[in-house]
Amino acid sequence: LISIGSEAMSEAPSSLTNKLWMILGEGSVFLSLLLIGAFFIRKSIIRQQRLALQERNFILATTHEFNSPIASIKLNLQTLSKREMDADQRFQMLDGALSSAHRLELLVSNLLLASRLDGGKLEMFYEELDLKRHLISISKRFDSLAEKSHNRLIIECQEGSVLNADKSAFDTIISNLIENALKYAPNTEVRIGVKMEDYKVILEVADYGPGIPKLERDRVTKKFYRMGNEETRSQKGSGLGLYLVQSLVELHRAQLSIRDNSPKGTIFSLKFNQ
């Protein structure tokens, strides 16, 4: 009897230990699941907060972007209707209104284009473009803005340079790159250069502004992304321009790269296959 009792007593601690380990194991699994769930919930909350901030910034920026050209057009037209002026002054007023109308047109076009890209409804129609003539035509739309920001637009393109591209998409790409350069690099030159290299057309838009930090270069082409805070940054924008540039370049099966200019500034380089 003593022997049997001793065996029972020796088995009791062993059974208790097994139960304790089983409880600890189940508790660890539960705690792990709880922590994993908390991690994903936190990640989802942060993502929603970031999207809400982007949406808020987009609304603030878009409101300002639309108000600015509308106010400019209204002021120019009111001045024309209320004041007597000579032909040169009238031309300046009309040119200012037309430039603001082009800017407004680009904003509306960007919004509609972004919507069509999101819906996968954008069709591409390729044609052969005379690059020099086309670039000159696009740049003329920004003469008034360039004068206002004290910039000089310089086009470096050989006669006879051609590119097979979608005209509307190509216009949007170049227009957004020019506007971006004029906006962030005032009082400097903006160079638009074209060269041929190994059956590729390389088009570059170079400015001499503050430049884009390397850590930001992969982010600036994201939809709605803009460096800084919408309420404190000096230059406004919708955060769609470079996103559309990247998206439309990809639809052309081309490549976009961003690098430093010398002695300062940024170069946006587009490489199209011929």
Side-chain angles (χ1 to χ4, degrees):
L1 289 173
I2 292 173
S3 176
I4 294 171
S6 298
E7 290 177 2
M9 289 179 64
S10 64
E11 288 176 2
S14 177
S15 176
L16 185 62
T17 301
N18 290 337
K19 287 181 179 179
L20 182 61
W21 279 111
M22 184 174 68
I23 293 170
L24 288 173
E26 291 175 349
S28 298
V29 171
F30 177 75
L31 181 61
S32 298
L33 291 173
L34 189 64
L35 290 173
I36 291 171
F39 170 77
F40 281 107
I41 290 172
R42 181 176 179 274
K43 187 176 179 181
S44 177
I45 290 172
I46 292 174
R47 182 174 177 272
Q48 291 300 320
Q49 288 175 337
R50 186 164 56 245
L51 289 173
L53 179 62
Q54 286 180 340
E55 183 178 351
R56 175 175 172 272
N57 284 346
F58 174 70
I59 292 171
L60 285 171
T62 305
T63 301
H64 179 276
E65 287 289 283
F66 274 97
N67 279 337
S68 182
I70 289 172
S72 177
I73 293 170
K74 184 178 179 181
L75 178 62
N76 281 303
L77 293 179
Q78 285 177 336
T79 304
L80 278 170
S81 65
K82 293 180 180 179
R83 286 180 53 187
E84 291 292 333
M85 55 186 67
D86 58 35
D88 287 341
Q89 290 175 320
R90 289 179 63 84
F91 176 79
Q92 288 180 359
M93 292 291 104
L94 288 170
D95 188 56
L98 189 59
S99 177
S100 295
H102 281 313
R103 186 180 173 198
L104 188 60
E105 182 182 29
L106 180 60
L107 289 169
V108 174
S109 176
N110 282 349
L111 287 170
L112 293 174
L113 192 54
S115 176
R116 290 169 67 190
L117 281 169
D118 289 344
K121 297 179 179 179
L122 183 64
E123 293 185 64
M124 305 288 280
F125 300 96
Y126 292 90
E127 60 183 287
E128 190 175 87
L129 303 178
D130 182 324
L131 282 176
K132 187 168 185 177
R133 186 173 64 182
H134 208 59
L135 290 172
I136 290 173
S137 175
I138 296 172
S139 66
K140 283 186 178 298
R141 303 172 197 167
F142 295 91
D143 282 348
S144 181
L145 182 59
E147 184 179 349
K148 184 178 178 181
S149 58
H150 305 288
N151 282 106
R152 195 157 68 100
L153 281 170
I154 300 172
I155 296 174
E156 299 170 336
C157 181
Q158 291 184 349
E159 294 284 353
S161 298
V162 296
L163 175 67
N164 194 39
D166 180 284
K167 182 178 180 295
S168 178
F170 184 79
D171 281 10
T172 301
I173 291 170
I174 303 304
S175 294
N176 278 295
L177 288 177
I178 291 175
E179 186 183 47
N180 188 74
L182 294 176
K183 186 183 293 184
Y184 294 103
N187 307 302
T188 63
E189 293 179 346
V190 176
R191 292 183 176 271
I192 306 163
V194 177
K195 60 183 178 180
M196 297 292 297
E197 188 177 286
D198 298 330
Y199 301 102
K200 295 181 185 295
V201 174
I202 299 176
L203 191 152
E204 294 183 340
V205 178
D207 66 59
Y208 297 90
I212 301 174
K214 290 183 179 179
L215 292 176
E216 296 284 351
R217 290 176 191 173
D218 288 336
R219 301 173 185 171
V220 293
T221 56
K222 303 296 182 185
K223 190 177 183 181
F224 301 141
Y225 182 81
R226 301 191 70 231
M227 294 187 291
N229 185 281
E230 199 62 48
E231 294 176 339
T232 59
R233 64 169 63 94
S234 59
Q235 293 292 347
K236 302 297 181 181
S238 64
L240 287 177
L242 294 181
Y243 160 74
L244 291 174
V245 169
Q246 176 70 70
S247 300
L248 295 174
V249 165
E250 289 176 354
L251 285 176
H252 279 91
R253 295 183 176 86
Q255 297 84 42
L256 168 68
S257 61
I258 305 172
R259 68 179 190 274
D260 290 331
N261 197 6
S262 178
K264 65 174 185 176
T266 304
I267 297 176
F268 287 87
S269 182
L270 313 174
K271 188 178 290 187
F272 295 88
N273 296 312
Q274 275 292 69

